[in-house]
Amino acid sequence: MNLQKYITGIIAAAFVAVCATSCQDRLEEQYQNPEKTTNASIDKFFTKMLDNRRVRADYWNIRTLLVMHPAVYTNIVSYPNSPKRYQEQLSYLNDYWKDYFTPNGDGVAGIVPHMREIEKQYATLSAEDKVKADVFLNAAHIVYYDQTSQVVDLFGDIPYSEAGMLNLTGETKAPKFDSAEEIYNALLAGLKESAAYFATASLDPLVASSFGKQDMLLQGNLDKWERYANSVRLRLLMRISFQNEQKAKTDILEMLNAPGDYPLIDETTNNILLSPLTTYTDYMRNAVTELETHLAPEYLMENVLRPANDPRIRVLFDKNVDTKTKVPNADYYSMPANIPSTDQETNIAAGKYAVLDSTTFMFNTKFPGIVMTAAEVNFIRAEAFERWGSSAQAQEAYEKAVKQAVDFVFYLNTVGATFRGVPAEDALTPTEVSDLLASATVAYAGTSDEKLAKIWTQKWVHFGFMQSIQGWSEVRRTKYPQLTFVPDTGTPGSVNPPSRLVYPDAEKVYNATNYEAVQAKDTRDTKIFWDVH
């Protein structure tokens, strides 16, 4: 069966009729539970949702999505000034869209169909068995809400309420596009509900054992699942905070002022990271070098890291070696953004620019999938307190976030060094951290607007290219850092980065009737509903 043609409710009904039965059989064959039944089981579908190459440091995800689209649009990676540098690559966007809406057997989660299969199986259970399955259902919902929010942040309106009906009911109805704002409201409500479940969940020992075995993300830790749900909800509330400030302010402050009721991922021990599979032996070198996105970008280096003498420089980048003299460069030189591409290419060939650190990034087979970190949560806390509360509390959260962000990159370097058997970079010292926090460009001082600018800029640094979907969303939301782009005048229609990704061609063809309802919005310049600042 050709899985690329599998329809989960986003393809036309005529085509669904051809492949629906065989695709369903494939799903059930993959996820049988031999201890119970020949039917596909909820726990196995849940594990498959977690095993997601769109979360992992996977070549295809980095190469075709992250460093080609959102990372470029946030200037967090380098790129030559060649034609089409800001133009969306529709075939790759179709792959990303398909990986969310359809099931695959090659390490892609297929978030929608697997969620619908869980819901379908759950509906057939007795009341007693539903209680046992609730932990899988709620954890799956949290993952589903998190992943769905990212698709919305990239595209805007998407099929949501009617998506995946083939898996849920066997219905072949082509799904409507729900508005991005309506979807956000549903996600916020769902995250609150799932967090409330985990706050009081008490599992039967056999269920707890099963959940722990199937939960490759958090190993069955109920406290972390509650924190994950609350923290994603916090992220999404802050995302809408300029569009619906009253709701965001009320709900965020309720959470922050009652930490016992709303525990968050605010300590590094609670970072949500998806470990690589034990069989994984690849690394990201090819993914970042094929498009020359491995070079030190100018704004990050010259405007943010170097002025603060930021210790992260040594674990983010290698100085590189002059290809003529075979001598390492004297410093970490960034690639100028405003010189001709021919000059950039000449200098790249000569080894003049610093490159991504080989231990932290290039050859690190233990690089985790980054779901959510304490640093991000504390940057959100800092913004909330600065805008709606105490600046002293904001400073405390901000400085904690910066330290956690720095620690995290050094952690990644240590992970890579352990695997490769090479020395890690010199360990971070307390003096380096205190000096960074006291530097003029980082210190929490100035007007409230200046403080917010520092929060947003440091958050952008922390996201980097591996979380560039979040980074691009925040740059669009806050307009910080204040980036400038060299116009691509040779590519009409894509002179500058877009405000959103356009829909892939397959959706326009196979869901044509429903696409007509959003066609007017399907432009590069249409803003996501929360982009109003």
Side-chain angles (χ1 to χ4, degrees):
M1 184 191 76
N2 184 347
L3 284 175
Q4 291 184 346
K5 293 183 179 179
Y6 183 84
I7 309 303
T8 61
I10 62 171
I11 308 295
F15 192 79
V16 172
V18 175
C19 71
T21 301
S22 61
C23 289
Q24 181 62 28
D25 290 345
R26 174 64 179 272
L27 278 171
E28 294 184 351
E29 288 168 5
Q30 280 189 297
Y31 307 117
Q32 287 178 1
N33 184 339
E35 297 179 357
K36 295 181 180 180
T37 176
T38 58
N39 292 325
S41 59
I42 289 175
D43 54 350
K44 302 303 188 295
F45 281 125
F46 169 66
T47 300
K48 190 57 183 175
M49 285 185 72
L50 299 179
D51 184 16
N52 186 354
R53 78 175 184 188
R54 293 297 181 175
V55 175
R56 299 188 187 281
D58 178 88
Y59 165 83
W60 193 253
N61 190 42
I62 296 172
R63 168 64 173 79
T64 67
L65 181 73
L66 299 181
V67 300
M68 188 176 227
H69 296 101
V72 169
Y73 306 153
T74 58
N75 250 336
I76 200 66
V77 295
S78 60
Y79 49 89
N81 285 325
S82 53
K84 301 183 180 181
R85 57 186 176 272
Y86 306 131
Q87 186 178 76
E88 303 93 317
Q89 299 300 311
L90 295 183
S91 64
Y92 293 148
L93 298 188
N94 184 66
D95 288 337
Y96 177 79
W97 186 272
K98 177 172 61 66
D99 288 348
Y100 172 75
F101 282 107
T102 68
N104 291 273
D106 58 352
V108 181
I111 294 297
V112 172
H114 287 92
M115 187 70 251
R116 297 294 178 252
E117 287 294 331
I118 290 173
E119 292 169 341
K120 182 176 72 175
Q121 297 292 329
Y122 182 85
T124 68
L125 299 177
S126 67
E128 181 181 359
D129 285 341
K130 282 182 177 178
V131 172
K132 296 177 182 179
D134 277 340
V135 66
F136 290 99
L137 180 69
N138 279 280
H141 274 146
I142 295 169
V143 174
Y144 174 55
Y145 299 145
D146 183 7
Q147 291 295 304
T148 298
S149 70
Q150 296 180 49
V151 180
V152 172
D153 290 343
L154 291 173
F155 293 95
D157 300 352
I158 63 169
Y160 177 71
S161 60
E162 297 177 354
M165 288 299 104
L166 175 63
N167 295 91
L168 185 62
T169 66
E171 183 182 4
T172 59
K173 178 182 178 181
K176 68 176 182 178
F177 283 72
D178 296 272
S179 79
E181 184 174 0
E182 290 173 347
I183 297 171
Y184 251 64
N185 289 336
L187 302 182
L188 289 167
L191 287 163
K192 186 175 183 178
E193 181 178 340
S194 290
Y197 165 81
F198 280 105
T200 60
S202 178
L203 305 184
D204 175 276
L206 292 178
V207 174
S209 176
S210 176
F211 184 57
K213 291 177 182 177
Q214 298 299 141
D215 179 10
M216 65 167 58
L217 180 63
L218 298 177
Q219 294 72 52
N221 188 316
L222 304 186
D223 175 69
K224 285 191 175 182
W225 277 103
E226 182 186 3
R227 292 176 185 273
Y228 180 18
N230 283 330
S231 298
V232 175
R233 181 173 169 233
L234 186 73
R235 172 198 282 167
L236 301 190
L237 285 167
M238 187 57 78
R239 191 67 44 79
I240 67 171
S241 64
F242 290 120
Q243 180 265 339
N244 189 346
E245 183 169 12
Q246 187 55 54
K247 175 177 175 56
K249 176 182 177 180
T250 299
D251 289 1
I252 288 175
L253 291 183
E254 178 186 21
M255 297 176 74
L256 298 185
N257 290 330
D261 295 329
Y262 301 99
L264 298 167
I265 305 165
D266 51 2
E267 300 295 341
T268 55
T269 53
N270 293 319
N271 283 348
I272 309 295
L273 306 174
L274 182 61
S275 298
L277 296 172
T278 56
T279 56
Y280 182 74
T281 59
D282 200 2
Y283 39 75
M284 67 176 72
R285 179 182 180 274
N286 289 341
V288 296
T289 58
E290 287 177 6
L291 295 173
E292 295 176 334
T293 53
H294 62 300
L295 309 161
E298 184 177 33
Y299 189 94
L300 174 64
M301 181 67 78
E302 309 305 334
N303 291 63
V304 182
L305 300 179
R306 199 186 302 280
N309 194 26
D310 197 313
R312 282 174 288 191
I313 293 175
R314 69 174 180 267
V315 288
L316 288 174
F317 300 105
D318 288 333
K319 292 180 180 178
N320 209 353
V321 176
D322 187 299
T323 56
K324 290 183 179 180
T325 65
K326 309 301 181 184
V327 175
N329 292 328
D331 204 347
Y332 298 90
Y333 300 120
S334 60
M335 185 171 76
N338 62 349
I339 63 175
S341 60
T342 52
D343 293 345
Q344 290 174 323
E345 295 289 353
T346 297
N347 292 337
I348 291 170
K352 291 188 178 296
Y353 303 135
V355 296
L356 287 174
D357 187 89
S358 58
T359 299
T360 305
F361 298 106
M362 294 280 211
F363 299 103
N364 188 353
T365 67
K366 301 302 180 184
F367 199 103
I370 305 171
V371 178
M372 198 161 196
T373 64
E376 178 187 353
V377 171
N378 281 308
F379 281 127
I380 296 172
R381 292 177 68 241
E383 178 180 348
F385 286 133
E386 183 59 44
R387 289 173 62 183
W388 306 313
S390 162
S391 192
Q393 286 180 294
Q395 179 174 353
E396 180 182 5
Y398 168 77
E399 292 181 349
K400 184 175 184 178
V402 172
K403 184 179 186 307
Q404 289 172 332
V406 175
D407 285 341
F408 185 65
V409 180
F410 275 82
Y411 158 77
L412 294 174
N413 181 261
T414 301
V415 169
T418 300
F419 163 72
R420 297 182 68 205
V422 300
E425 292 290 341
D426 292 342
L428 184 69
T429 68
T431 299
E432 286 181 307
V433 175
S434 59
D435 287 348
L436 174 64
L437 292 173
S439 63
T441 56
V442 178
Y444 204 71
T447 66
S448 183
D449 285 345
E450 289 170 336
K451 292 174 181 177
L452 288 171
K454 290 178 179 179
I455 293 170
W456 294 331
T457 299
Q458 288 299 316
K459 192 177 183 183
W460 168 78
V461 176
H462 174 62
F463 282 139
F465 68 90
M466 286 303 299
Q467 285 190 282
S468 55
I469 293 176
Q470 298 299 332
W472 188 34
S473 296
E474 286 299 284
V475 167
R476 287 176 290 166
R477 178 182 75 88
T478 68
K479 308 304 181 287
Y480 277 92
Q482 294 182 323
L483 305 169
T484 57
F485 295 86
V486 177
D488 178 12
T489 55
T491 308
S494 299
V495 175
N496 291 301
S499 294
R500 61 175 286 275
L501 300 181
V502 296
Y503 296 120
D505 287 339
E507 187 68 15
K508 302 174 187 178
V509 172
Y510 294 116
N511 197 10
T513 299
N514 288 302
Y515 171 72
E516 288 181 3
V518 296
Q519 185 172 4
K521 298 181 181 180
D522 190 21
T523 72
R524 304 175 82 251
D525 299 326
T526 298
K527 294 183 177 182
I528 308 300
F529 79 98
W530 42 252
D531 184 1
V532 297
H533 185 52

